[in-house]
Amino acid sequence: MVWRVFRFFLFQLAGAVLGRYLPIGDPRNGMVVGIVLAGALWVLVDLRRGMRLLAWLKEGDTSAPVRVSGLWGEVADRSWRLTRSREKQVSENRDRLNDFLAAIQASPNGVVLLDAQDGIEWCNETAAGHFGFDPQRDVQQHIGNLLRDPGFVAYLNGDDYAGDIVIRGPRSTSSRPVQLAVHLHGYGEGRKLLLSRDVTAVQQAEVMRRDFVANVSHEIRTPLTVLGGFVETLQTLPLNDDERARYLELMAQQARRMQTLVSDLLTLSRLEGSPPPGTNEWVPVSQLMAQCEQDGRDLSQMLVTQSHDMNFLQEGRCDIAGSHSELLSAMTNLVSNAVRYTPAGGTIEVRWQNLADGRAEFSVRDSGPGIAAEHIPRLTERFYRIDRSRSRETGGTGLGLAIVKHVLQRHGAELKIESLLGQGARFSMMFPATRVRQLPA
């Protein structure tokens, strides 16, 4: 500032010196005119610099500072530095906000920000999927207008947000139910944070757990009741040798049934709790087919007086990648089911064939009573039986096809069921080409 004033006086001094030589008579008058003209010229030059600075500020181009000398140049430089600093800070804050929003977008839970009037300020894609929101169109919409569940409305209007509530998702249908757990958290001045998560699988698992415990209790209670009755009979009634032998045989039958049930439950538990089998262990299909044939014929001779007409065919030689015990369990379960539900003298055909696209198919076809269409989707459920009395008479536990389903899922295979009432049934397992290694004939 001192240098600016000093230069102003120097400029006027130069004007006074030059004004002495103006042809206006008295030199003192010329000096005054020179001083006035020099001051006006100074003001015009300084004003031009100020206008250049003002134009730069109006344009808002902060990529480079305006080139202005003097005091206005210092103002321009300091303004540019301050603006660049503010822009850098804003850019850092924007990046931090974008990172924060990206993290919320990646969250498996739905997140909705509500203002003091319960209007939607922002929501992530997960919440939009849960509630059917449009993240752009529904901004500032009242949450109660979009989510009309009575339980949620009462929860929103209440003051107790200590726990969450479970509501039915807006996109829930009878075939695909959706259950959402919703939790509100207050923050700021009247704002709310709404968190949602899909608990459909948890709810279904809880229902399955209760059903499973109930079914297991029922399945074990029945043979235990029978055993208890037989034991009481043996203890209280005088029986001859034939009656005693008959009761002991019935007791042994019930004991074997419980052993089979426990064995199947342990098999299911092992399948659910162990890692999937790899693709580095190859099992010869010929061994599996031979074991299936032996087990099937032995079971047929034990259950019926007139053995079934059983045919075991293997088209092409190959190995299958996976667990020998699991694959054998799945294959023998299909064969044993066919034996149990096919009348004496009926036909059972077990076939392995390599397909042209590299896949392989194991199928079991029987001439039994067939299965109604409404039962087919539920056959792989645990303890699901079409005819409970028939299943128990033949020693079935109701877990065979559930075991088959788990084994195939672990091997990347698929179970297909084809049946019509009165025309038998065909169960087939389709193995992917990645687990089939065909061998030369």
Side-chain angles (χ1 to χ4, degrees), residues 112-134:
V112 182
L113 302 182
L114 303 177
D115 58 23
Q117 289 73 39
D118 296 330
I120 299 174
E121 291 185 329
W122 182 88
C123 69
N124 64 353
E125 293 295 336
T126 304
H130 285 170
F131 302 116
F133 295 162
D134 187 312

Side-chain angles (χ1 to χ4, degrees), residues 220 223-224 227 253-263:
I220 292 181
L224 282 176
L227 279 175
Q253 179 181 350
Q254 297 299 323
R256 287 193 297 269
R257 178 182 167 190
M258 284 192 293
Q259 289 176 345
T260 304
L261 177 62
V262 172
S263 176

Side-chain angles (χ1 to χ4, degrees), residues 267 270-272 274-278 281 283 288 322-333 403-404 406-411 429 431 435:
T267 299
R270 184 179 68 252
L271 291 175
E272 293 176 344
S274 60
E281 180 183 353
V283 182
L288 298 174
S323 168
H324 180 278
S325 59
E326 293 182 16
L327 292 170
L328 181 61
S329 175
M331 295 168 68
T332 54
N333 264 304
I403 293 174
V404 172
H406 278 73
V407 170
L408 295 186
Q409 288 176 345
R410 289 165 56 82
H411 287 78
M429 300 189 298
F431 292 94
R435 286 189 174 268

Side-chain angles (χ1 to χ4, degrees), residues 42-56:
W42 170 271
V43 172
L44 290 175
V45 172
D46 196 63
L47 182 61
R48 181 175 177 273
R49 294 171 181 168
M51 293 300 294
R52 289 182 61 189
L53 174 60
L54 181 61
W56 176 74

Side-chain angles (χ1 to χ4, degrees), residues 178-242:
V178 177
Q179 298 290 325
L180 300 175
V182 178
H183 198 170
L184 284 171
H185 300 268
Y187 77 99
E189 297 181 1
R191 287 181 167 85
K192 298 182 182 69
L193 173 67
L194 186 148
L195 301 178
S196 64
R197 57 191 176 93
D198 191 337
V199 295
T200 306
V202 176
Q203 296 282 332
Q204 291 176 344
E206 178 62 20
V207 172
M208 290 177 61
R209 185 192 66 81
R210 291 197 299 266
D211 292 344
F212 180 74
V213 171
N215 286 325
V216 170
S217 302
H218 176 72
E219 294 293 331
I220 292 181
R221 185 184 299 113
T222 301
L224 282 176
T225 302
V226 175
L227 279 175
F230 287 151
V231 170
E232 184 178 354
T233 300
L234 291 173
Q235 290 176 336
T236 58
L237 297 179
L239 304 174
N240 56 39
D241 293 341
D242 292 339

